[in-house]
């Protein structure tokens, strides 16, 4: 089956894969993904799904899954941003909504701290890009 026909990409699914216990901590997922993103034909802003979510939006939309490793998720987002990931405002809104929810399963301090750090990174990146445009 050709994954390109489904529209789903490794960039969209990497937040899920990166948290699997089968992936050894010694494997540098960020470095390997960086090498993929360096290829000219790879689009960090490719869209998937009904709403056409980018990999950055997908990562921020699934932040609620506490199985995931928040520091690794943060590093993935930072990597996507370093390669020009867009939809920053939408990604930031998804994270802010996560923090506003009062569900008990969202009270994990590490996830909340990384979420806040990522919101700051997204805000700073957007400001920097806006300044570059003017």
């Amino acid at each position: 089956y050709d994954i390109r026909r489904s529209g789903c990409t490794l960039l969209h699914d990497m937040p899920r894969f990166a948290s699997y216990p089968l992936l050894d901590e010694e494997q540098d997922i960020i470095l390997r993904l960086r090498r993929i993103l360096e290829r000219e034909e790879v689009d960090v802003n490719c869209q998937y799904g009904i709403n056409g979510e980018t990999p950055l939006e997908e990562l921020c939309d699934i932040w609620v899954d506490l199985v995931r490793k928040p520091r690794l998720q943060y590093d993935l987002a930072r990597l996507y941003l370093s390669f020009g990931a867009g939809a920053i405002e939408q990604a930031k809104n998804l994270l802010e909504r996560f923090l506003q929810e009062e569900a008990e399963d969202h009270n994990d301090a590490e996830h909340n701290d990384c979420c806040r750090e990522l919101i700051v990174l997204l805000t700073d990146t957007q400001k920097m890009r806006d300044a570059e445009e003017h």
Side-chain angles (χ1 to χ4, degrees):
Y1 179 72
D2 187 347
I3 193 168
R4 290 173 291 191
R5 289 177 52 202
S6 75
C8 185
T9 70
L10 176 66
L11 299 179
H12 286 90
D13 278 342
M14 185 51 68
R16 288 179 193 81
F17 296 146
S19 294
Y20 284 174
L22 294 175
L23 291 175
D24 191 314
E25 290 291 329
E26 293 177 16
Q27 294 179 354
D28 191 341
I29 295 168
I30 300 295
L31 178 59
R32 289 176 183 228
L33 194 55
R34 176 178 294 284
R35 289 184 182 148
I36 291 170
L37 286 165
E38 288 171 347
R39 297 179 58 127
E40 188 175 308
E41 66 271 17
V42 177
D43 180 8
V44 74
N45 290 306
C46 54
Q47 296 179 344
Y48 167 68
I50 296 170
N51 298 325
E53 287 188 325
T54 67
L56 180 63
E57 288 175 288
E58 179 79 10
L59 186 147
C60 293
D61 195 22
I62 60 172
W63 196 270
V64 68
D65 186 345
L66 296 182
V67 173
R68 303 189 199 292
K69 301 172 185 172
R71 183 54 51 191
L72 181 56
Q73 301 296 92
Y74 174 88
D75 290 343
L76 282 171
R78 190 175 64 192
L79 178 66
Y80 291 168
L81 289 167
S82 73
F83 279 89
I88 293 175
E89 193 64 34
Q90 295 90 319
K92 192 169 80 168
N93 290 341
L94 290 165
L95 293 173
E96 288 171 346
R97 187 175 67 213
F98 165 78
L99 287 175
Q100 290 173 357
E101 292 177 357
E102 295 296 327
E104 281 188 27
D105 60 344
H106 296 187
N107 290 331
D108 183 86
E110 185 180 12
H111 277 76
N112 292 346
D113 289 346
C114 284
C115 184
R116 287 184 188 93
E117 288 177 38
L118 183 49
I119 289 170
V120 169
L121 176 64
L122 291 167
T123 302
D124 292 348
T125 301
Q126 188 62 56
K127 286 179 184 176
M128 182 183 69
R129 289 183 185 173
D130 289 346
E132 289 173 356
E133 289 179 8
H134 293 80

